[in-house]
Amino acid sequence: MLYAVIDIGSTTIRMAIYEILDNKLNLIHKRKYTVGLASYVKDNVMEQAGIDKACEILNSFKSFLTSFNIENVSAFTTAALRNAQNSREAVAEIIARTGIDLHIISGDEEATYDFIAATHELDYHDGFIIDIGGASTELIRFADNKIIQKTSLPIGSLALHTKYATDFLPSEEEISQMIKEVHAIIDTAPEFKDISHAEICGIGGTCKGARALYNEMYTQDDANETIPADKIPEMISHFTRGHKLTDKDITTLLKTVPDRLHTIIPGMVIANEIAKLIHATAITYKDAGMREGFLYTHVIEG
């Protein structure tokens, strides 16, 4: 069976098509548009231009799926639309204009899907899963392969960049402002209380980009999944605006994170503060996330 999942996120709008055989997922095709939908939210309201952009892309996805007679489709949206005051009105307009039944996924559901997908790939059973998105960060604390706590923190890479940065790369002062906001929000999360050490599994685009950037900077094999925590501040500092970039530095950025040039450093700021707080020694990236968790829950097991 072929099954398409469309995910309207804060930074990207994606469509992934899976072949499902013998209760296993095989990704056979994917399409992605870097839209930055969170940047269309002004005064907590999704602007018409953002709704128009989402409709344009969804209609192109629908045309593609119709051409190949792919009828099993699920579509959902996360923080950018979920947190807007006009989220229900915006989603209703998108459904009316595209004919695609779009669901608003709660932060709790998003964290649960992340956990289900990530634990299919993990080789340890206690720690944290983090998924740093454009407008929110999903956080799951687990032990013995069970969720202990889960939450959606209202901090994201695109939101931080939009609020504080005045160019592609943030300055030292702008990073300091980002850190203050991250600390203020993390302080409200009980998941971080009394943690002396924990493993971190990172999923999603920010952690994927950070892994690729680390492997290129430190001449690691492309298959390496682990970022030592003590290297993250070095990477942030290296690409801070004001630090003179060499041609090699620019090539590294363009090669590894072409779609996340403006959000990769704010995203790594979030990852670094979480890692420091719980004294994690590394972040291990896993190529699994909400879309796979959704399919495991509602198609394979459901």
Side-chain angles (χ1 to χ4, degrees), residues 146-168:
K146 295 180 180 179
I147 295 174
I148 298 176
Q149 292 166 307
K150 56 185 175 180
T151 191
S152 179
L153 301 175
I155 46 174
S157 58
L158 180 58
L160 284 182
H161 184 275
T162 301
K163 187 172 182 179
Y164 295 111
T166 55
D167 206 337
F168 273 98

Side-chain angles (χ1 to χ4, degrees), residues 55-76:
C55 289
E56 175 188 343
I57 293 171
L58 289 188
N59 277 321
S60 73
F61 286 165
K62 184 178 181 181
S63 177
F64 179 89
L65 294 170
T66 300
S67 295
F68 290 96
N69 297 316
I70 298 174
E71 298 178 348
N72 298 308
V73 182
S74 291
F76 46 77

Side-chain angles (χ1 to χ4, degrees), residues 239-256:
F239 292 105
T240 297
R241 192 171 79 250
H243 180 277
K244 185 173 177 56
L245 297 181
T246 66
D247 288 350
K248 182 178 179 181
D249 293 332
I250 296 168
T251 300
T252 295
L253 276 177
L254 295 177
K255 177 180 178 181
T256 58

Side-chain angles (χ1 to χ4, degrees), residues 31-194:
R31 294 190 169 199
K32 178 181 75 171
Y33 291 88
T34 303
V35 178
L37 205 58
S39 64
Y40 289 94
V41 177
K42 306 297 182 186
D43 298 322
N44 206 29
V45 172
M46 177 60 68
E47 296 180 317
Q48 186 62 44
I51 297 172
D52 293 342
K53 179 60 70 172
C55 289
E56 175 188 343
I57 293 171
L58 289 188
N59 277 321
S60 73
F61 286 165
K62 184 178 181 181
S63 177
F64 179 89
L65 294 170
T66 300
S67 295
F68 290 96
N69 297 316
I70 298 174
E71 298 178 348
N72 298 308
V73 182
S74 291
F76 46 77
T77 183
T78 54
L81 276 170
R82 178 175 70 221
N83 296 337
Q85 287 181 353
N86 62 332
S87 62
R88 293 189 181 278
E89 295 84 355
V91 168
E93 180 176 342
I94 291 170
I95 292 172
R97 290 172 58 181
T98 66
I100 294 175
D101 192 11
L102 180 63
H103 299 276
I104 301 174
I105 297 293
S106 70
D108 186 73
E109 289 174 305
E110 188 171 357
T112 299
Y113 294 146
D114 283 343
F115 170 76
I116 290 169
T119 51
H120 272 265
E121 302 288 334
L122 282 181
D123 54 6
Y124 54 84
H125 309 295
D126 300 85
F128 279 88
I129 297 169
I130 59 171
D131 182 2
I132 302 167
S136 68
T137 293
E138 314 320 315
L139 176 71
I140 304 134
R141 186 179 177 186
F142 66 98
D144 298 324
N145 278 339
K146 295 180 180 179
I147 295 174
I148 298 176
Q149 292 166 307
K150 56 185 175 180
T151 191
S152 179
L153 301 175
I155 46 174
S157 58
L158 180 58
L160 284 182
H161 184 275
T162 301
K163 187 172 182 179
Y164 295 111
T166 55
D167 206 337
F168 273 98
L169 300 177
S171 66
E172 288 185 7
E173 176 58 29
E174 290 164 351
I175 287 176
S176 295
Q177 293 173 329
M178 293 177 188
I179 290 172
K180 288 179 182 178
E181 176 159 334
V182 172
H183 273 275
I185 293 174
I186 286 178
D187 282 345
T188 67
E191 290 84 352
F192 292 109
K193 306 301 181 184
D194 303 319

